Amino acid sequence: MDNLIVQVRKLDGEAVLCCMARDSTVADLLQEVLRQQSGGEDGSYLEAKMHRAQVEAMLLTENGYVMLGHLRLSDYDLGEDNMVTVVMKMRFQGSYSCWLALDHAEAPHHVEHIKFNLEITEDAVCINGIPGVIGRKVDVAGETEVEAKFSEAVVFKSDRPWSKSQVRATACIISMRSADYKKLTNPGEALW
């Protein structure tokens, strides 16, 4: 079986040639590029090691289309004169513990932080077990903004026995920002 030479622009801007079997998948090529990038055997990207769950690598064609991992390289009709690019994408799907600052009318200088659970999938959200749908998703300058609408009101109530304070929400906007993960190699740096 003959091989396919693919030119790949890596995360550091350097272009490399990868010799792959013609029946290799896009996922195989991505694994090889990340292995070369990290200098490791397992294909892990060292600069994003602490934040691996928050980012994922993907390949783009010269036209900017995302290459699907399960497809074969031959499906993209690649050759030495074509170049694909590795990019890191923020992954926001997952489960989060969040806090809402609730200002009490009964005690104006008292702010209570109410914990709630937020789950985000590709097309849905859930807060404290109440499902919602993602109405729109906008990616601008490293920030992802998701508008969520819920099937019923999500109610955040005070845990204080003397308080009747609460917040009712039928929709919300969730903003997620990416960071330069290379600079966050020391956990203490994230706090400053």
Side-chain angles (χ1 to χ4, degrees):
M1 180 166 289
D2 55 1
N3 290 332
L4 178 67
I5 306 293
V6 181
Q7 193 177 130
V8 181
R9 185 178 309 122
K10 299 190 306 181
L11 294 167
D12 60 7
E14 177 186 346
V16 295
L17 294 177
C18 293
C19 182
M20 305 292 293
R22 193 164 287 282
D23 66 342
S24 295
T25 64
V26 171
D28 296 333
L29 175 60
L30 183 59
Q31 187 72 16
E32 173 62 21
V33 170
L34 294 178
R35 186 189 66 73
Q36 288 182 26
Q37 180 79 18
S38 68
E41 292 298 317
D42 65 350
S44 61
Y45 180 57
L46 296 180
E47 285 84 351
K49 190 172 184 180
M50 284 183 56
H51 308 284
R52 196 170 298 157
Q54 297 171 336
V55 294
E56 67 180 306
M58 56 189 358
L59 291 171
L60 300 179
T61 65
E62 285 182 305
N63 296 332
Y65 294 107
V66 175
M67 297 176 72
L68 302 177
H70 67 281
L71 292 180
R72 304 223 179 274
L73 295 174
S74 57
D75 294 335
Y76 288 96
D77 200 26
L78 297 175
E80 277 188 63
D81 56 335
N82 300 110
M83 181 177 288
V84 298
T85 304
V86 178
V87 295
M88 297 301 275
K89 174 185 170 192
M90 188 170 98
R91 183 185 304 162
F92 63 90
Q93 292 89 356
S95 296
Y96 300 89
S97 291
C98 304
W99 288 265
L100 171 74
L102 182 61
D103 195 0
H104 293 278
E106 299 91 356
H109 300 291
H110 181 77
V111 176
E112 180 180 357
H113 291 92
I114 298 173
K115 184 177 179 180
F116 64 94
N117 297 315
L118 170 65
E119 293 180 36
I120 303 175
T121 63
E122 187 65 36
D123 57 355
V125 296
C126 185
I127 292 181
N128 290 344
I130 298 177
V133 294
I134 293 177
R136 83 181 156 91
K137 182 169 55 172
V138 179
D139 294 313
V140 177
E143 182 173 313
T144 300
E145 193 172 271
V146 175
E147 182 182 280
K149 295 182 181 181
F150 298 95
S151 57
E152 62 184 86
V154 179
V155 180
F156 301 96
K157 292 182 179 181
S158 172
D159 291 331
R160 308 280 186 224
W162 48 266
S163 177
K164 296 178 186 170
S165 296
Q166 67 178 10
V167 172
R168 300 175 64 81
T170 56
C172 67
I173 295 176
I174 303 163
S175 294
M176 291 158 275
R177 292 174 185 85
S178 61
D180 184 350
Y181 296 107
K182 292 180 187 179
K183 293 181 181 177
L184 295 176
T185 55
N186 178 356
E189 287 181 23
L191 301 175
W192 299 105

